[in-house]
Amino acid sequence: MIDFQCECGQKLFFENTACLRCGSRVAYDPVQRRMLPLTPGAVPRNPSGTLCRNGMDHGVCNWTVSEPGEDWCLSCRLNQTIPNLNDADRLHWWKQLEYAKRRLIYGLLQLGLPVAGKRESAAGLAFRFIEDRRSNPDVREEQVYTGYADGVVTINVAEADIVRREIERRHSGEQYRTLLGHFRHESGHYYFELLVNSDTRRERFRSLFGDERQDYGEALERYYAAPPARDPEYISAYAQSHPVEDWAEVWAHYLHMSDTLETAGFHGLPQGAGHFDSLDDLLRKWSQLTMLLNSLNRSMGLEDAYPFVLAGATLRKLHFVHELLCPSSRPSSVAASGERRS
């Protein structure tokens, strides 16, 4: 993620809706990938469209509309279901969900991945933000699980409550649980269907992750009935539940890496990297950067920002993802060596 600049020279961040120096309203254009100034009528001086309706009506979006005649931006067009906006908590939760979703979409576009909704294609991507009776006794759903099916990502809106999310993280014994992590993980299921799309790629996938044709429901039942001891060769405990969950966890970590390294590079850190560095370079810089991040957090009395160790099997899986996104990349000596990285 990079920062942007107002016409007056002030730095702007990805979520900004106004410049703190000159007071100008601004919006992010996902096509041009830059911040645009808005006129009082909410129309950018660059004729790429107007401010997204969710920004004008609810203050939850700062992207511009990319298509003439559209009301919603590229990110908001992907929504199928949103929370009850008459409730202040749900409106706040939705805002947090949209923040995370836009960061996901930004990263996907940076990697050159297709982002299309159900209106453009039956095989498009969609999002449902719903909750269950554990957080809202007035809804019909007894229990809503964050998950993926047929191009649709479902996220329980209560995940946007930081207290509830932390309780669930500790209850589940997870090292890491964030809204952005949820979005990146679930997007992995969608792009698995798009990218692992040939016999050669499926054979390669199965040699690394296992056979994805094993019964998914039964595998998750076994996992939750008796969670296995953490195998350090997997990126997380949940990655052991089924090959496609292992893929989604590795995919999410690749997105974590690419975005965080881009941020570091933009701010001039020597550990920064572009998306299309060799995987050797990415992993070397990632190791240095995460050690720095964790050391900074410990200096502030916080838990590690990146509480993971990348074992040899995970490095080979990351290389597979890298090959799919960067077909010209050569095999990585680090990924093949079985070296561990924290």
Side-chain angles (χ1 to χ4, degrees):
M1 178 64 67
I2 65 174
D3 295 335
F4 305 90
Q5 194 172 54
C6 180
E7 288 185 335
C8 74
Q10 174 71 12
K11 178 180 287 189
L12 298 172
F13 299 104
F14 188 61
E15 287 82 13
N16 279 154
T17 58
C19 174
L20 296 179
R21 175 187 289 176
C22 69
S24 297
R25 295 184 65 201
V26 295
Y28 178 73
D29 184 334
V31 175
Q32 300 183 61
R33 301 182 193 179
R34 67 187 184 94
M35 286 287 187
L36 299 177
L38 297 177
T39 67
V43 179
R45 289 199 283 273
N46 187 298
S48 64
T50 62
L51 181 66
C52 176
R53 183 172 173 180
N54 284 337
M56 291 190 287
D57 293 350
H58 308 293
V60 300
C61 183
N62 70 332
W63 280 21
T64 64
V65 173
S66 303
E67 300 292 335
E70 278 284 354
D71 288 326
W72 289 278
C73 71
L74 171 63
S75 177
C76 290
R77 286 207 312 267
L78 303 177
N79 290 345
Q80 278 191 351
T81 309
I82 62 174
N84 175 12
L85 303 186
N86 293 321
D87 183 286
D89 283 340
R90 273 69 189 174
L91 178 59
H92 173 71
W93 291 354
W94 183 38
K95 191 172 187 177
Q96 303 310 307
L97 288 162
E98 292 295 341
Y99 280 171
K101 175 155 69 72
R102 287 195 297 274
R103 281 189 172 256
L104 166 71
I105 301 303
Y106 171 91
L108 297 175
L109 293 174
Q110 286 291 87
L111 289 169
L113 290 163
V115 179
K118 294 292 186 183
R119 291 194 305 176
E120 291 79 22
S121 168
L125 181 62
F127 293 88
R128 296 193 310 156
F129 304 137
I130 56 180
E131 61 180 317
D132 58 39
R133 291 185 178 178
R134 291 174 297 175
S135 60
N136 186 352
D138 295 326
V139 299
R140 291 181 298 176
E141 291 80 4
E142 292 288 344
Q143 197 159 21
V144 171
Y145 293 101
T146 293
Y148 170 86
D150 301 322
V152 179
V153 172
T154 298
I155 295 186
N156 190 321
V157 299
E159 284 287 335
D161 184 322
I162 190 171
V163 175
R164 293 173 186 269
R165 188 170 65 248
E166 179 62 14
I167 290 172
E168 184 62 30
R169 184 186 75 84
R170 292 183 177 275
H171 175 74
S172 303
E174 297 175 342
Q175 296 173 292
Y176 174 92
R177 190 183 184 98
T178 66
L179 282 181
L180 185 52
H182 281 319
F183 277 99
R184 286 174 172 162
H185 173 100
E186 301 303 339
S187 76
H189 293 297
Y190 177 73
Y191 287 100
F192 172 81
E193 297 171 355
L194 293 185
L195 296 175
V196 188
N197 57 359
S198 69
D199 289 343
T200 300
R201 290 181 174 183
R202 280 189 288 270
E203 288 176 9
R204 174 76 171 141
F205 172 87
R206 289 166 188 163
S207 72
L208 292 168
F209 295 88
D211 193 337
E212 81 286 358
R213 294 169 295 185
Q214 65 178 273
D215 189 278
Y216 180 79
E218 291 181 1
L220 260 63
E221 280 187 18
R222 288 194 301 270
Y223 174 80
Y224 285 115
R230 166 77 192 287
D231 184 339
E233 288 297 309
Y234 287 84
I235 190 63
S236 69
Y238 188 58
Q240 299 169 225
S241 62
H242 190 277
V244 297
E245 295 299 345
D246 190 9
W247 156 272
E249 289 285 85
V250 171
W251 173 270
H253 276 74
Y254 189 90
L255 298 188
H256 291 331
M257 290 168 57
S258 61
D259 194 29
T260 308
L261 288 167
E262 182 191 52
T263 304
F266 179 80
H267 287 278
L269 294 181
Q271 299 88 357
H275 291 301
F276 300 104
D277 285 9
S278 72
L279 191 65
D280 282 348
D281 287 339
L282 283 173
L283 290 169
R284 176 177 55 80
K285 292 176 179 180
W286 183 243
S287 178
Q288 296 171 356
L289 183 62
T290 53
M291 284 191 287
L292 173 61
L293 283 171
N294 289 343
S295 296
L296 290 171
N297 265 30
R298 292 170 190 176
S299 295
M300 294 292 293
L302 300 172
E303 294 184 354
D304 286 353
Y306 187 76
F308 299 96
V309 174
L310 303 182
T314 297
L315 294 173
R316 290 188 288 273
K317 293 167 185 175
L318 282 166
H319 187 267
F320 177 65
V321 173
H322 188 71
E323 283 181 321
L324 293 176
L325 295 174
C326 312
S328 62
S329 63
R330 294 183 176 182
S332 165
S333 60
V334 171
S337 72
E339 177 182 346
R340 292 175 179 266
R341 293 180 179 266
S342 58

